[in-house]
Amino acid sequence: MTLNGWDVIRHEVLRRIRVGEWPQGTMIPSEVDLAREFGCARATVNRALRELASAGVLERRRRAGTRVAALPVRKATLDIPVIRQEVEARGQTHGFRLLAMRTDPAPVPVASRLGLPPGTPLIWLDTLHLADGQPFVHETRWLNPAVLPWTLPDFGQISANEWLVMQVSYTRGDIAFSAAASTLRESEVLGVPQGTPLFITERTTWLFDAPITLVRLAHVPGYRVQTVM
Amino acid sequence: MTLNGWDVIRHEVLRRIRVGEWPQGTMIPSEVDLAREFGCARATVNRALRELASAGVLERRRRAGTRVAALPVRKATLDIPVIRQEVEARGQTHGFRLLAMRTDPAPVPVASRLGLPPGTPLIWLDTLHLADGQPFVHETRWLNPAVLPWTLPDFGQISANEWLVMQVSYTRGDIAFSAAASTLRESEVLGVPQGTPLFITERTTWLFDAPITLVRLAHVPGYRVQTVM
DNA sequence: GAGTGGTCTAGACCACCTC
DNA sequence: AGGTGGTCTAGACCACTCT
């Protein structure tokens, strides 16, 4: 392994960790030493070690050096696609129905999540996404009109999910996944018995300090979020 | 913004995308051009653009150049901590009880998930994790003894979750999240009514082509997986 | 104080792919 | 065929933090 490629170095470091040559918590040689060993520039070693650190395998601190993470907090990357893409990736046809849309004062829980005064007028959207004509996910969304372009599209023609992703940028957002019993409305819309366990995704997005939207996605039974490590 | 720092360039590119200067799907200037504009080396621009590409904001191809992602697949990074860490991060005390442990032939669904012949002897572990003495998560685990060190620890003293993370490395793994009604056993162990919606985490890990373990975590109601974008 | 990682530079070669 | 991003090099300066 004297020839180049930062990925070769990355794999070799991983191998040494795996076979126990560098046990968890150990300091590993400095970049300079490794560069000498591998016969490459320090920047190449740096690249390899930086990737491993961002994957949670190594912990690096200036002066303190690099150590193998003691209790490795594994990191997994999730792709958060637009719903239409998600459906089409399954080889199904995406459709949606805008069930309701109106402007309402923000209820307290919504307002507090968004950091707005209760009663702030928000647009409320209720959308059902379909995969091959069957219910796929029920989308309940609160939109803050104050941060949106003046002309909203026809949300019967383009789903809010997709329009926001394409037209509205955000600076910050968070996602939460949970499980919940279907509400009465979700049962009706998704066509499942009330109380059915549903996979729930909740997202909020922000443009600097201004909240843009809060959305709750109630997925049809059987839905899974999957990723590799 | 003529002074340095790849992060400055990253933010500036993001800003131009956000204000619509570089709309979605657009080609952006080449690294050489941007380096000239920002008065820095191409490697610095490369670093900034590479980060944005790995975040899903840009799409890069040799010769074709760099374009703003048309339908940005947002990426979120999840931390997968050891359960003990997760409990302690909440300021609670972790404990666990090994409820059962035996060697059993792999049932068909387990075997097929792990790519083993049905009936392969596996170690079956049933563990309840506690937070401040209250049920927190129910862990059902199948372990492949063929790939483990000869001497297994006392799983009444150290949880399999933690021992595996500390002692056994893997080359590949996957995680899936879903929602399911609690089984009879889960109801008893977690102390919830049968049929309660539970958040389920399923993980499999592999050492090259050899399956190591398959684990199902049934989390107590109210559990959320959360992350920022 | 000294050694570590973080970053940058200027230049170079290469693989790839669109033109 | 030529321009693009991907990567590497050799050297440098700096920020941090451990001793």
Side-chain angles (χ1 to χ4, degrees), chain A residues 4-6 39-44 47 61-63:
Chain A
N4 296 327
W6 62 268
C40 68
R42 182 169 78 95
T44 306
R47 173 76 188 272
R61 283 209 314 277
R62 282 175 158 130
R63 165 65 192 171

Side-chain angles (χ1 to χ4, degrees), chain B residues 98-133:
Chain B
L98 177 61
L99 304 176
M101 172 175 176
R102 61 171 182 267
T103 300
D104 263 7
V108 171
V110 171
S112 80
R113 283 278 210 103
L114 294 177
L116 292 172
T120 306
L122 297 179
I123 299 171
W124 181 78
L125 288 160
D126 194 51
T127 308
L128 176 65
H129 292 263
L130 306 166
D132 279 350

Side-chain angles (χ1 to χ4, degrees), chain A residues 3 8 23 29 34 62 77 139 143 173-174 178 185 192 200 210 222 225:
Chain A
L3 288 186
V8 172
L34 287 174
R62 282 175 158 130
T77 303
E139 171 184 335
L143 264 177
D174 57 68
S178 58
R185 171 139 191 81
V192 299
I200 307 291
V225 167

Side-chain angles (χ1 to χ4, degrees), chain B residues 22-178:
Chain B
W22 291 341
Q24 315 217 337
T26 320
M27 301 293 303
I28 76 173
S30 76
E31 293 188 352
V32 176
D33 291 343
L34 287 174
R36 210 177 2 243
E37 176 188 340
F38 290 113
C40 68
R42 182 167 80 94
T44 307
V45 173
N46 179 274
R47 174 75 188 273
L49 298 188
R50 180 158 34 84
E51 299 277 340
L52 288 171
S54 80
V57 175
L58 298 177
E59 289 171 357
R60 321 194 71 195
R61 282 209 312 277
R62 282 173 159 129
R63 165 66 191 169
T66 301
R67 67 173 62 241
V68 182
L71 275 182
V73 173
R74 309 291 188 177
K75 300 196 176 174
T77 304
L78 287 183
D79 288 347
I80 316 288
V82 173
I83 293 173
R84 179 170 64 76
Q85 284 182 304
E86 198 172 356
V87 170
E88 289 171 354
R90 300 171 164 226
Q92 300 183 295
T93 307
H94 175 251
F96 72 95
R97 288 209 303 271
L98 177 61
L99 304 176
M101 172 175 176
R102 61 171 182 267
T103 300
D104 263 7
V108 171
V110 171
S112 80
R113 283 278 210 103
L114 294 177
L116 292 172
T120 306
L122 297 179
I123 299 171
W124 181 78
L125 288 160
D126 194 51
T127 308
L128 176 65
H129 292 263
L130 306 166
D132 279 350
Q134 297 299 309
F136 180 69
V137 56
H138 178 230
E139 171 183 333
T140 313
R141 184 182 293 274
W142 294 88
L143 265 177
N144 182 7
V147 296
L148 298 178
W150 307 326
T151 56
L152 292 184
D154 176 0
F155 284 123
Q157 296 300 313
I158 181 171
S159 81
N161 181 269
E162 192 155 349
W163 179 76
L164 278 165
V165 166
M166 290 203 308
Q167 299 297 333
V168 182
S169 56
Y170 63 84
T171 52
R172 183 161 59 89
D174 57 67
I175 312 184
F177 303 109
S178 58

